[in-house]
Amino acid sequence: MCGIVAYIGERQALPILINGLKRLEYRGYDSAGVSIWNKKTKVYKRKGKVADLEAFIGNDDLTGNIGIGHTRWATHGEPNDVNAHPHMSMNGKFTIIHNGIIENYSRLRDKLTSFGVTFKSETDTEVLANLIEYIYEKGAVDAELAVRLALSKVIGAYGLVIICSDEPDKLIAARKGSPLVIGVGNEEYFLASDATPIVEYTKSVIYLNDGDVAVITKDQLTLKTDHNKSQTPIIQELNIDIGEIDKGGYEHFMLKEIFEQPRSINDTFRGRVKTENDKIHLGGLYEVMPKLIEAKRILIIACGTSWHAGLVGEYLFEDLARIPVEVEYASEFRYRNPIINKDDVVIAISQSGETADTLAAIQLAKEKGALVLGICNVVGSSIPRETHAGVYTHAGPEIGVASTKAFTCQVTVLAMMAITIGRSKELISDSSYQNLIKEFNLIPEKIEEILQNSLIIKEAAELYKDSTNSLYLGRGYLFPVALEGALKLKEISYIHAEGYPAAEMKHGPIALIDEKMPVVVVATKDSSYEKIVSNVQEVKARNGKIIAVVTKGDTVIRKMADHVFEIPETNPVFSALLSVIPLQLFSYYIAVMRGCNVDQPRNLAKSVTVE
Ligand code: M6R
């Protein structure tokens, strides 16, 4: 959740840290801090954004070539200056930045207190800093050993970087359950919780594995396991461009990412879906495809927007591949005793590849002997490494906290998988297959058409920006879209919104409808169309305000609705890919008009690496 950045080399560390923290701010943004070594360790930290930290540093002398920085999403202790990272141990020997949670911190804190250690903050991280220092002062031969011994006493997750004032020519980094990437430069190293702060300096990176401890001087990197076994670092090439992590002229990342969807879906297709060919190529699934085709049941595990994509997947796999599907919140699945049979396949979906609950659910599924596949966006993140096989979405970096292009690319991958299985099982005839692929290939340009009509959506947003509640309705493939539309609105504009299957409305939510209640109905032409027309009438009869997403040329709902957002006609199996776009834009415009911080909504963080 939090962002980590660190530097060691010949350059000035501070600009690299500040720049890196700005790039990482989407991971957490309630406080930020840096520490620079230059004859002594200086720490500057502040509640608020990185800009507040910069103002606080002002013109103070923070020169130095070694430094660590952190942007926080609070877990232990409220967001304030004292709880912000970096944390320094009581005698100032160790300064640390940390992502994750030390679960036994309270017991460790009591013990250290009984030994006379005092604390300034309420954080688990300061406990770790003091534990390391205590062990070091008790006679550990060097800082690395003190860190190793301390980590052996810790229960929980961490990605951390440490400066020891007695050994100031090095950084010590360790990872367990919280990602860390090392950028390899020329006599310099960069560390970060993801590659975004590194890419402008180097494309050569090393992803730490769980249990790794790295000791880094400006010209040497030593990597060992938690059992002190030497490792050969594996250097990989990043394939992100710096342009992908900039706003590219848009006012917000979210808007840029909404408008990127034609391109990101094309990238997800590229090399996989070809019109001239009768197969979809999903290289990452090649070896497991026979098992997938034979699957008696598919279990999809995910959180948030990825869970909504999973729900679309349920309809796709059932429709096209005739495999029963259960879609589970990862956080619920992992705490049950789920029944997984040997013919079941588990699919984990995640944009970040770091969501703690999804990772834990994967672990559980693996322990129960399941084949676990991943659909993930961030290359090299934990989920692709923990799953047996999988497919990358290739959406490109998604920086806006509200997920948009990740959702449509996840649905694209699920559709490719379902079509592949259906085709292999001979459930899809040659001509239906050709029609599906033709229609699938048209999706990016149809999204482009919707985006060109964004003004209509913006005008409607103006009228509803002051609502306090809203209802989102859909049926079939469009029910998950209703859920996703409602989530987008509530998370970035703080308007309460509920998504429902349209027919469920009369079992309770209809009581909420009056002339002040905006009801967003996703009602494009498919087999449920007549039914949803009746649902729209039910809303109309109670004077609800109707905002409908309809198929171009629709006249029936147009007559009843207060506003319509038209989308081009498509095969219903792809309808989620088009119908979600107006809802993303609607939420975006409302949030901007309400003056909300669209890219960094309150209380949220981009990747949820705590349980
Ligand atoms: O990285 P993941 O896809 O695993 O993240 C899961 C959710 O935290 C995420 O989809 C969240 O719901 C979105 N930010 C909502 O827009």
Side-chain angles (χ1 to χ4, degrees):
M1 321 265 311
C2 311
I4 278 183
V5 61
Y7 176 76
I8 184 163
E10 293 291 344
R11 308 186 206 209
Q12 284 302 313
L14 185 65
I16 295 171
L17 300 184
I18 294 291
N19 198 16
L21 290 179
K22 285 182 180 162
R23 296 226 183 269
L24 287 171
E25 214 168 17
Y26 73 103
R27 296 178 70 99
Y29 32 83
D30 59 43
S31 52
V34 290
S35 174
I36 305 275
W37 165 264
N38 191 355
K39 300 199 185 77
K40 61 179 186 162
T41 318
K42 289 187 184 170
V43 176
Y44 277 68
K45 49 190 194 170
R46 209 67 180 161
K47 180 180 172 184
K49 306 269 184 187
V50 179
D52 298 307
L53 173 69
E54 261 186 304
F56 176 55
I57 294 171
N59 294 323
D60 289 7
D61 178 19
L62 263 186
T63 51
N65 315 111
I66 302 176
I68 57 181
H70 190 270
T71 174
R72 178 171 186 248
W73 186 86
T75 56
H76 292 69
E78 62 168 294
N80 61 26
D81 295 350
V82 178
N83 288 334
H85 295 218
H87 288 281
M88 198 182 258
S89 56
M90 184 175 76
N91 299 327
K93 289 235 177 320
F94 290 87
T95 310
I96 174 169
I97 48 174
H98 164 226
N99 283 356
I101 292 182
I102 308 300
E103 287 167 16
N104 57 338
Y105 88 103
S106 170
R107 210 151 21 91
L108 292 170
R109 186 178 169 125
D110 289 349
K111 213 161 190 171
L112 288 165
T113 307
S114 74
F115 298 148
V117 176
T118 55
F119 296 86
K120 295 193 190 84
S121 77
E122 302 154 84
T123 65
D124 51 345
T125 306
E126 192 190 5
V127 174
L128 183 55
N130 277 314
L131 179 63
I132 297 169
E133 184 175 83
Y134 180 78
I135 293 172
Y136 182 73
E137 290 182 340
K138 279 279 166 228
V141 287
D142 59 15
E144 182 192 346
L145 183 64
V147 170
R148 285 181 177 286
L149 291 173
L151 292 180
S152 72
K153 300 196 180 318
V154 152
I155 300 169
Y158 49 79
L160 51 87
V161 189
I162 297 168
I163 296 177
C164 173
S165 59
D166 286 348
E167 301 173 29
D169 60 335
K170 63 180 68 143
L171 295 171
I172 302 175
R175 171 202 162 133
K176 186 178 158 211
S178 198
L180 266 188
V181 192
I182 300 177
V184 183
N186 188 11
E187 302 215 327
E188 61 181 353
Y189 289 94
F190 306 81
L191 287 99
S193 36
D194 66 47
T196 46
I198 293 178
V199 65
E200 59 201 277
Y201 306 106
T202 175
K203 292 210 167 176
S204 303
V205 295
I206 299 161
Y207 293 99
L208 292 197
N209 288 315
D210 267 354
D212 281 354
V213 177
V215 178
I216 307 163
T217 61
K218 75 180 168 60
D219 39 28
Q220 197 182 4
L221 164 80
T222 317
L223 192 62
K224 293 186 192 158
T225 65
D226 43 358
H227 295 109
N228 212 10
K229 199 168 154 251
S230 287
Q231 301 268 85
T232 309
I234 299 170
I235 300 183
Q236 304 185 26
E237 277 300 288
L238 281 176
N239 66 350
I240 335 174
D241 274 335
I242 186 74
E244 290 182 76
I245 53 174
D246 283 334
K247 285 191 196 143
Y250 287 89
E251 199 184 339
H252 297 100
F253 279 110
M254 182 180 176
L255 190 62
K256 175 186 176 222
E257 288 157 7
I258 292 172
F259 274 79
E260 269 175 352
Q261 289 175 104
R263 189 213 34 85
S264 58
I265 292 177
N266 265 326
D267 286 350
T268 307
F269 280 155
R270 187 157 301 129
R272 292 167 167 167
V273 183
K274 296 182 182 154
T275 20
E276 71 278 11
N277 204 317
D278 71 344
K279 271 206 175 94
I280 293 177
H281 294 276
L282 294 170
L285 297 182
Y286 185 73
E287 287 187 3
V288 297
M289 199 41 94
K291 177 128 201 226
L292 194 49
I293 291 164
E294 293 303 314
K296 293 273 177 293
R297 186 175 64 140
I298 291 175
L299 287 157
I300 297 180
I301 47 179
C303 302
T305 289
S306 298
W307 185 83
H308 296 155
L311 280 184
V312 180
E314 176 178 15
Y315 289 91
L316 287 165
F317 284 120
E318 294 189 351
D319 251 8
L320 300 169
R322 302 304 297 141
I323 303 176
V325 179
E326 283 169 36
V327 188
E328 304 266 2
Y329 284 116
S331 54
E332 288 297 313
F333 178 83
R334 58 178 292 206
Y335 288 114
R336 291 210 317 271
N337 187 10
I339 297 163
I340 303 174
N341 302 309
K342 69 175 179 21
D343 297 323
D344 293 342
V345 172
V346 173
I347 302 176
I349 308 177
S350 173
Q351 187 286 128
S352 62
E354 302 295 348
T355 301
D357 282 319
T358 309
L359 270 164
I362 290 170
Q363 219 53 56
L364 177 67
K366 278 167 59 183
E367 276 158 28
K368 289 186 174 275
L371 170 68
V372 186
L373 311 179
I375 297 177
C376 193
N377 192 37
V378 178
V379 176
S381 57
S382 302
I383 288 178
R385 277 141 24 103
E386 287 299 322
T387 42
H388 296 116
V391 185
Y392 280 117
T393 46
H394 299 316
E398 193 182 64
I399 311 281
V401 165
S403 198
T404 51
K405 62 177 180 171
F407 173 81
T408 44
C409 289
Q410 288 163 346
V411 172
T412 300
V413 169
L414 289 161
M416 290 195 282
M417 288 173 73
I419 294 171
T420 305
I421 301 169
R423 181 84 172 134
S424 303
K425 290 171 88 172
E426 297 182 4
L427 297 167
I428 302 174
S429 68
D430 287 353
S431 63
S432 311
Y433 178 78
Q434 290 308 333
N435 286 339
L436 277 171
I437 295 301
K438 194 166 152 232
E439 196 49 50
F440 210 176
N441 272 298
L442 290 173
I443 293 295
E445 66 190 67
K446 290 186 176 178
I447 293 180
E448 199 73 70
E449 190 182 326
I450 301 169
L451 294 170
Q452 276 163 17
N453 291 322
S454 59
L455 195 60
I456 296 169
I457 301 170
K458 195 174 181 180
E459 283 165 4
E462 181 68 49
L463 301 174
Y464 295 97
K465 66 177 194 309
D466 298 320
S467 312
T468 47
N469 289 295
S470 62
L471 214 52
Y472 281 67
L473 306 176
R475 298 179 83 120
Y477 283 102
L478 305 176
F479 161 53
V481 174
L483 292 178
E484 177 58 9
L487 175 59
K488 286 291 88 82
L489 186 70
K490 64 187 143 195
E491 70 179 328
I492 61 169
S493 72
Y494 320 139
I495 295 175
H496 175 238
E498 293 287 340
Y500 266 93
E504 271 296 301
M505 181 185 60
K506 28 188 188 315
H507 299 284
I510 200 165
L512 295 167
I513 294 175
D514 60 17
E515 65 288 350
K516 288 198 216 76
M517 177 65 113
V519 182
V520 179
V521 190
V522 196
T524 57
K525 290 264 171 60
D526 63 12
S527 56
S528 318
Y529 180 74
E530 300 302 331
K531 301 277 175 209
I532 206 156
V533 167
S534 310
N535 301 136
V536 173
Q537 266 155 349
E538 288 154 12
V539 176
K540 190 83 197 152
R542 285 150 186 92
N543 298 321
K545 291 267 177 277
I546 299 163
I547 301 145
V549 178
V550 298
T551 306
K552 206 155 99 184
D554 182 301
T555 49
V556 179
I557 293 184
R558 180 175 281 277
K559 281 198 199 112
M560 292 184 272
D562 297 272
H563 307 272
V564 292
F565 304 150
E566 285 192 332
I567 62 169
E569 191 169 355
T570 187
N571 185 316
V573 300
F574 304 125
S575 56
L577 291 171
L578 301 187
S579 54
V580 75
I581 309 290
L583 304 189
Q584 294 170 345
L585 285 166
F586 188 57
S587 313
Y588 170 79
Y589 289 126
I590 287 186
V592 172
M593 288 165 190
R594 288 166 70 91
C596 299
N597 187 338
V598 173
D599 284 333
Q600 294 169 355
R602 70 183 178 208
N603 304 337
L604 290 174
K606 184 65 182 165
S607 57
V608 184
T609 54
V610 295
E611 298 167 11

